[in-house]
Amino acid sequence: MSNMNSTLVFRPLYEQIKSVLTDSLIAGEWKPGESIPSEMDLAARYGVSQGTVRKAIDALAKENIVVRRQGKGTFVSTHKEQNSKLRFLRLTSADGSKELLENELLECNRIKVNAEIAKLTGLKIGTAIIEIKRLLTFSQRPVILDYIIVQAKSFKGLNATKIKENNGSLYSMYETLYGVPMVRAEEKLSAVMATKQQAELLNIEPGFPLLSIERVAYTYGDKPMEWRLGLCVTDEQHYMNSLE
Amino acid sequence: MSNMNSTLVFRPLYEQIKSVLTDSLIAGEWKPGESIPSEMDLAARYGVSQGTVRKAIDALAKENIVVRRQGKGTFVSTHKEQNSKLRFLRLTSADGSKELLENELLECNRIKVNAEIAKLTGLKIGTAIIEIKRLLTFSQRPVILDYIIVQAKSFKGLNATKIKENNGSLYSMYETLYGVPMVRAEEKLSAVMATKQQAELLNIEPGFPLLSIERVAYTYGDKPMEWRLGLCVTDEQHYMNSLE
DNA sequence: GAGTGGTCTAGACCACCAA
DNA sequence: TGGTGGTCTAGACCACTCA
């Protein structure tokens, strides 16, 4: 009979508060763009000190889940704001600007997962998904060929019309129309050769080197919601990254 | 203690403490791998509360400049440790391992900056530099062709022998032999075609797509100390990145 | 047991913002 | 002017490490 061997799980109060706050966000108690209650209010609600609430909110702010604004309050992050648009886009031209990207929707189909897509996404074969193909253009020149997959059940009724209505701002649309804010993403990069078909769309020669960016985007609670393969022409644009 | 805010500029105390600590690190008061004084000691030394020192150290820890170890103390980060080696290497094979990289030094020359290098590094033409060319191999297969530049005046006497003595662990060598720890780096990625010469070294066909990684590495105080161009074969290895 | 960092509290004052 | 987040303090106790 061993009693002292039990694994005592110690979890700091502020982490527990952070979890509770995340749950409330998932439940939609506070929507993107809205403010959450003040630190004092939350402290009173959960019966902890304001400093503990602060540490929980600090952690959420560090993950870009909320944004603090001195004198105003703490707000749920949103992709609707200008400054957070293209938050995950690391591709910039030499002069640093990336605001002038234009958007051409090529395809938007409701299909089922096949073996290849299953391997890419980890979804089960046969699952209903929506595939989106589009072309991003920078000052008249095509630079990114995007292939995007989301689960149909999470984005019911998503179609070409809706994408166009939102000017191709997918993350903003996921958030506004479907209540699914993307908070984090992981990317896997490699260099590939353009196929004939890709080359045609990107207006380059077949065999031209392309930067391949596989991205998985996550919503609250580390739930993967979107898979994306971007093929980028990088002779004038570059992928910038900070290692710290 | 009284709060010595200047009327014109408001700078939080903990930021000032952070700067003072950084200065001490630059001055070499505590070397990589060593511990810095305890929070209580530092608080006493600077006449602030332990909480303020904590916040300053938290900021340094977030930037990987120091590492906290509960019960032991706070230590200056080092590239000598196993877990921090290859800290800036984001290239991993499918199974995630990146420890088996082998190292072949191709060249190490003392030269002067020409126009091309000036453009890459921002150094003045004529500045004495050391250029290093090497090949990194993963399980018998060449995967990265590195071209590295550092200023000769910052790394006096650096040569092929020294590099070999350190098994090609450059960052560890910069730190140990020259007291220059690298704390941060910025990378610019693109896809390029292998030239004939590069293809030969990497044992691939000319025209094969390579991931080009331009890196600038910084020491304390955001001082750029090393420029690097890596050309990577990415059919079996990928560059992983987290966006948050 | 002594010393370290980790967590938590309570209270104070400051800087910023909007009404 | 009142409310918000931002900074700072002082003190308490907890968890971890090592001699």
Side-chain angles (χ1 to χ4, degrees):
Chain A
M1 220 182 341
S2 66
N3 54 350
M4 305 307 284
N5 221 2
S6 69
T7 321
L8 189 69
V9 181
F10 169 68
R11 207 159 161 239
L13 235 195
Y14 74 89
E15 275 191 17
Q16 300 178 42
I17 301 295
K18 185 191 162 196
S19 292
V20 173
L21 293 175
T22 304
D23 291 343
S24 292
L25 285 168
I26 294 174
E29 180 167 350
W30 313 297
K31 304 220 179 307
E34 293 178 7
S35 70
I36 68 174
S38 74
E39 294 179 350
M40 285 308 288
D41 287 353
L42 289 171
R45 180 200 289 200
Y46 301 123
V48 298
S49 79
Q50 180 240 15
T52 300
V53 170
R54 162 152 308 197
K55 200 157 182 194
I57 295 180
D58 278 347
L60 292 174
K62 191 184 153 199
E63 296 171 28
N64 292 313
I65 290 174
V66 298
V67 178
R68 322 191 71 140
R69 292 197 198 121
Q70 184 172 148
K72 298 182 73 176
T74 300
F75 298 78
V76 184
S77 293
T78 173
H79 284 271
K80 276 173 282 186
E81 288 172 23
Q82 207 46 251
N83 60 354
S84 75
K85 261 186 182 170
L86 306 173
R87 209 181 86 201
F88 294 149
L89 184 64
R90 293 288 179 95
L91 210 70
T92 57
S93 55
D95 58 27
S97 72
K98 60 179 180 181
E99 298 300 328
L100 305 166
L101 274 181
E102 294 197 357
N103 216 300
E104 185 191 345
L105 182 62
L106 302 176
E107 282 185 47
C108 178
N109 309 309
R110 197 177 193 285
I111 61 170
K112 293 206 184 297
V113 169
N114 59 27
E116 192 191 356
I117 295 175
K119 196 183 160 199
L120 183 70
T121 62
L123 292 173
K124 273 187 188 162
I125 292 182
T127 310
I129 56 168
I130 294 162
E131 64 166 13
I132 300 166
K133 295 180 188 174
R134 65 172 186 181
L135 194 61
L136 298 184
T137 307
F138 183 80
S139 59
Q140 269 73 35
R141 198 184 161 199
V143 287
I144 307 180
L145 184 59
D146 261 341
Y147 179 64
I148 299 156
I149 289 175
V150 294
Q151 276 204 68
K153 72 167 186 192
S154 304
F155 300 93
K156 289 203 171 93
L158 174 52
N159 58 26
T161 311
K162 287 205 173 134
I163 294 173
K164 281 172 191 159
E165 280 171 4
N166 281 274
N167 298 315
S169 295
L170 294 179
Y171 289 165
S172 165
M173 185 181 65
Y174 297 156
E175 177 184 302
T176 310
L177 259 60
Y178 301 98
V180 180
M182 298 300 189
V183 296
R184 192 175 78 78
E186 290 196 347
E187 297 192 327
K188 195 159 89 172
L189 281 71
S190 56
V192 300
M193 265 193 255
T195 66
K196 198 179 153 194
Q197 195 188 15
Q198 291 157 2
E200 242 170 60
L201 288 163
L202 288 166
N203 196 26
I204 50 174
E205 295 297 313
F208 197 90
L210 296 177
L211 183 62
S212 157
I213 307 179
E214 277 181 44
R215 178 195 294 170
V216 186
Y218 299 82
T219 188
Y220 299 138
D222 262 340
K223 242 180 105 182
M225 296 300 290
E226 186 210 52
W227 295 263
R228 192 180 279 222
L229 172 61
L231 295 172
C232 313
V233 180
T234 55
D235 51 353
E236 289 182 349
Q237 316 264 318
H238 300 280
Y239 183 100
M240 309 298 282
N241 198 20
S242 262
L243 310 180
E244 283 166 9
Chain B
M1 156 174 192
S2 63
N3 232 350
M4 312 273 282
N5 296 342
S6 136
T7 323
L8 297 176
V9 183
F10 170 68
R11 210 166 157 230
L13 236 194
Y14 74 89
E15 275 191 18
Q16 301 177 40
I17 301 294
K18 186 191 163 198
S19 291
V20 173
L21 292 175
T22 304
D23 290 343
S24 293
L25 286 168
I26 294 174
E29 180 168 351
W30 314 297
K31 304 221 176 307
E34 294 177 7
S35 70
I36 69 175
S38 75
E39 294 179 351
M40 285 307 289
D41 287 354
L42 289 171
R45 180 199 291 201
Y46 301 123
V48 299
S49 80
Q50 181 239 17
T52 301
V53 169
R54 161 151 310 195
K55 202 157 181 194
I57 294 180
D58 278 346
L60 292 174
K62 194 184 152 200
E63 296 172 28
N64 292 312
I65 290 174
V66 298
V67 177
R68 324 190 73 140
R69 294 199 195 119
Q70 184 171 154
K72 298 181 75 175
T74 300
F75 297 78
V76 184
S77 294
T78 173
H79 284 270
K80 276 174 282 188
E81 288 173 22
Q82 207 46 251
N83 59 354
S84 76
K85 262 184 183 171
L86 307 172
R87 208 181 87 202
F88 294 148
L89 184 64
R90 292 287 179 97
L91 211 71
T92 57
S93 55
D95 57 28
S97 71
K98 60 179 182 181
E99 298 300 329
L100 306 167
L101 274 181
E102 295 197 357
N103 214 301
E104 184 191 345
L105 182 61
L106 303 176
E107 282 185 48
C108 178
N109 309 308
R110 198 176 191 284
I111 61 170
K112 291 202 184 301
V113 169
N114 59 27
E116 190 190 357
I117 295 174
K119 196 183 159 201
L120 182 72
T121 61
L123 293 173
K124 275 188 186 161
I125 292 182
T127 309
I129 56 169
I130 295 161
E131 63 165 15
I132 300 166
K133 295 180 188 175
R134 66 172 187 181
L135 195 63
L136 298 184
T137 307
F138 183 80
S139 59
Q140 268 72 35
R141 199 187 158 196
V143 286
I144 307 179
L145 184 57
D146 262 339
Y147 179 64
I148 298 156
I149 289 174
V150 294
Q151 276 204 70
K153 73 167 185 193
S154 304
F155 299 94
K156 289 202 172 95
L158 174 52
N159 56 27
T161 311
K162 285 200 176 142
I163 293 173
K164 281 173 190 157
E165 280 171 6
N166 281 274
N167 299 315
S169 296
L170 294 179
Y171 289 165
S172 164
M173 185 182 66
Y174 298 156
E175 177 184 302
T176 310
L177 259 59
Y178 301 99
V180 180
M182 298 300 188
V183 297
R184 192 175 78 77
E186 290 195 345
E187 296 191 328
K188 196 159 89 174
L189 280 71
S190 58
V192 300
M193 264 193 259
T195 66
K196 199 180 155 194
Q197 194 187 17
Q198 291 158 2
E200 242 170 59
L201 288 164
L202 287 165
N203 197 25
I204 51 175
E205 296 297 312
F208 197 89
L210 296 177
L211 183 62
S212 158
I213 306 178
E214 276 182 46
R215 178 195 295 170
V216 185
Y218 299 82
T219 188
Y220 300 139
D222 261 339
K223 243 181 105 180
M225 296 300 290
E226 186 209 52
W227 295 263
R228 192 180 280 222
L229 172 62
L231 295 170
C232 313
V233 179
T234 55
D235 52 353
E236 289 183 351
Q237 316 263 318
H238 300 280
Y239 183 100
M240 309 297 283
N241 199 20
S242 264
L243 309 182
E244 284 167 9

